[in-house]
Amino acid sequence: MPPDGPGPVRARRRRPLIVGIGGSSRANSTTHQALATVLAMMGQAGAETMLLGAADLDLPMYAPERQERPAAALRLLAAVERADGLVIATPGYHGGISGQVKNALDYLEDLRGAPRPYLDGRAVALIVGARGTQAAGTTLTALRSTVHALRGWPTPLGVTLNTAVPLFDPHGRVLDRTVAARLDTLADQIMGFTYAWSQVL
């Protein structure tokens, strides 16, 4: 027999904030387009999204001993501190993370004293674009290690993109169905983890 009276009322879940970080300084770069595509997918799934691209990451080299921070760095730190999940996209330069993206991640050291330090308790989706599979693979491994060091949870799937072939049309639409499916899976993993984790916190 069902219990008498109304059941427990579940609070309506708020929209999670997913912050995208990365891209490259080249206009319409593959990594930027992939990042924008994944954020758009999560927006359609109900998330609030924020994209911090190359122009937003034009920061001075991180220097922990300096007290002052430029406005762009404060915006980055505020966004990450509020974020429920992240997507990080980087080109692979010489087998590693681009200097611009790595420098932005170095700034997260300023969140060491935050209620949720660094990337603690956040799922982080990773995207790497490089000319060739070897460079993309080594860069993805390096990016995973950095996210682990920042206490983040890299998603099971990390997407690598071979930028030697066109992957997006002039309007930013994905040309390769396999790539589209991987980006869709990446969005699903972030959203699934974020909603599941929100029931624990």
Side-chain angles (χ1 to χ4, degrees):
M1 294 288 293
D4 293 333
V9 177
R10 292 179 63 90
R12 186 172 178 227
R13 292 185 300 194
R14 67 176 177 81
R15 295 175 68 197
L17 171 63
I18 311 297
V19 174
I21 297 172
S24 79
S25 57
R26 285 186 299 173
N28 298 318
S29 71
T30 298
T31 49
H32 179 89
Q33 289 177 309
L35 178 59
T37 297
V38 170
L39 289 178
M41 289 174 174
M42 288 187 281
Q44 291 171 356
E48 177 187 355
T49 64
M50 177 186 296
L51 195 160
L52 299 175
D56 304 293
L57 305 181
D58 187 11
L59 305 169
M61 288 299 293
Y62 178 68
E65 70 278 6
R66 293 179 189 162
Q67 296 299 311
E68 68 281 357
R69 294 286 181 252
L74 294 176
R75 181 171 181 247
L76 167 68
L77 293 167
V80 172
E81 191 169 11
R82 286 182 53 224
D84 298 291
L86 293 95
V87 184
I88 301 174
T90 180
Y93 289 160
H94 309 292
I97 307 167
S98 76
Q100 187 177 50
V101 171
K102 182 59 169 64
N103 188 48
L105 296 178
D106 287 344
Y107 270 90
L108 302 189
E109 175 62 23
D110 284 5
L111 296 179
R112 62 189 174 278
R116 297 171 75 188
Y118 308 114
L119 302 178
D120 187 63
R122 266 70 63 94
V124 185
L126 307 179
I127 301 171
V128 174
R131 293 184 69 84
T133 55
Q134 180 172 318
T138 57
T139 302
L140 180 61
T141 299
L143 189 54
R144 281 187 187 279
S145 296
T146 299
V147 170
H148 276 140
L150 289 167
R151 305 186 193 178
W153 297 66
T155 54
L157 177 66
V159 174
T160 57
L161 305 171
N162 182 2
T163 60
V165 296
L167 298 176
F168 294 87
D169 71 14
H171 303 288
R173 292 178 295 225
V174 187
L175 295 171
D176 187 298
R177 278 189 284 184
T178 300
V179 169
R182 288 175 182 165
L183 295 177
D184 188 53
T185 299
L186 201 63
D188 283 347
Q189 289 182 354
I190 283 285
M191 293 298 289
F193 184 101
T194 299
Y195 278 129
W197 191 248
S198 71
Q199 302 305 303
V200 176
L201 293 178

